[in-house]
Amino acid sequence: MIKLNYPLNQKLIYILACSFGPDSMALFDLLFKANIHFVVCHVNYHRRDVSNFEEKALCEYCVKHHIQYEVLDTTNLVVRGNFQAWAREVRYAFFKNVYEKYNASGLLIAHQQDDSIETFIMQKRRHSLVANYGISVESNMNGMKVIRPLLDYSKQQLKEYDEFNDIPYSIDVSNLTNHYERNRVRHSIIEKMDSNERYKYLNDIAHENERIQKLKETASFAIEQDNSIL
């Protein structure tokens, strides 16, 4: 059974980042059924033939369910440097504006289990020095509390949830290419792993994060001990 893996407050308002993909639409439905007060945020980059269709379909779905929505049209914005980095900067600046407009208590992102494993693999390949491996359930960004309530579920489980509940969604065909490192990891590893391999990756992520936490606690203790001498 798919359910939110984070305790949201029905008395507060949240911002939902929604692309009209299967993950964010599953989160939309779960929030709606849980009587969570939320505002949908959608960014139209006009990079794909279906971008306008997705925006229109999502807005109509919001109207049908009496959900407030905000849309950012990037037509008149100039892309600077790497598109992915630029798009992320624009997206989160938009979320921040909406967050403040509605005095929201959290920004909800539909990252799921596959995303977390992909991130972990990329972190390891790059030998990244990180504060957390994979994707954390909760973090802070630009003064916003970012919450990811679907990390217990795979992308396939969320798609099955959508189909079982007749929830509309669109597939981003750019994710089917190997133009980006994350896509290559997804196609060559994530989509081919069995349940045992998935379990191993999740265990590895948990163990690595436990190790980091112990290092943080040790460092904190050492600093406190040093300060006590002064």
Side-chain angles (χ1 to χ4, degrees):
M1 179 181 176
I2 303 289
K3 61 181 181 179
L4 300 171
N5 64 1
Y6 190 97
L8 299 175
N9 192 326
Q10 293 178 338
K11 296 180 180 179
L12 301 178
I13 185 168
Y14 299 90
I15 302 300
L16 169 63
C18 191
S19 65
F20 199 61
D23 307 341
S24 56
M25 289 306 293
L27 183 50
F28 182 121
D29 188 70
L30 289 163
L31 295 170
F32 183 77
K33 288 177 177 175
N35 295 315
I36 301 300
H37 189 192
F38 65 99
V39 177
V40 166
C41 288
H42 177 77
V43 182
N44 188 339
Y45 296 108
H46 297 282
R47 299 279 291 189
R48 297 173 291 112
D49 293 339
V50 296
S51 293
N52 289 336
F53 161 77
E54 290 171 343
E55 178 187 331
K56 182 175 183 292
L58 175 58
C59 292
E60 289 176 349
Y61 196 76
C62 288
V63 170
K64 177 182 177 181
H65 290 81
H66 306 289
I67 298 296
Q68 181 69 40
Y69 64 89
E70 300 278 348
V71 175
L72 174 64
D73 189 309
T74 65
T75 302
N76 297 321
L77 299 182
V78 178
V79 178
R80 302 185 186 281
N82 174 271
F83 174 76
Q84 293 295 320
W86 173 85
R88 189 173 190 275
E89 181 179 345
V90 167
R91 180 166 66 249
Y92 278 92
F94 169 57
F95 294 159
K96 175 70 172 178
N97 288 336
V98 179
Y99 194 97
E100 293 179 342
K101 176 180 177 179
Y102 291 93
N103 192 28
S105 295
L107 167 63
L108 306 177
I109 307 284
H111 285 139
Q112 30 76 12
Q113 200 176 81
D114 294 30
D115 295 321
S116 188
I117 296 174
E118 288 164 12
T119 299
F120 174 68
I121 292 171
M122 291 165 64
Q123 289 168 327
K124 283 295 187 178
R125 285 185 174 181
R126 297 171 182 174
H127 304 287
S128 301
L129 183 62
V130 299
N132 184 84
Y133 279 104
I135 300 177
S136 57
V137 174
E138 182 182 320
S139 61
N140 289 285
M141 185 178 296
N142 299 343
M144 297 180 288
K145 183 177 184 178
V146 182
I147 303 167
R148 303 171 180 88
L150 298 181
L151 290 177
D152 285 345
Y153 308 105
S154 69
K155 190 174 194 69
Q156 182 59 35
Q157 286 177 303
L158 295 175
K159 288 173 70 175
E160 290 172 359
Y161 174 89
D162 289 335
E163 289 159 10
F164 181 80
N165 291 280
D166 294 321
I167 301 167
Y169 66 82
S170 177
I171 296 294
D172 183 350
V173 294
S174 67
N175 289 332
L176 304 179
T177 71
N178 283 322
H179 293 165
Y180 305 108
E181 181 185 4
R182 184 172 290 276
N183 287 4
R184 292 192 290 273
V185 169
R186 181 177 305 154
H187 299 153
S188 63
I189 301 175
I190 305 297
E191 293 175 354
K192 295 180 180 180
M193 68 172 55
D194 58 28
S195 58
N196 289 330
E197 291 170 318
R198 178 178 291 271
Y199 180 75
K200 182 182 182 304
Y201 273 114
L202 294 174
N203 263 348
D204 288 346
I205 293 172
H207 290 154
E208 287 285 11
N209 285 329
E210 287 175 6
R211 179 179 63 81
I212 290 174
Q213 184 58 36
K214 288 179 181 178
L215 288 173
K216 289 179 181 177
E217 291 170 357
T218 301
S220 176
F221 176 75
I223 291 170
E224 289 174 5
Q225 288 289 89
D226 187 59
N227 287 342
S228 68
I229 298 173
L230 300 177

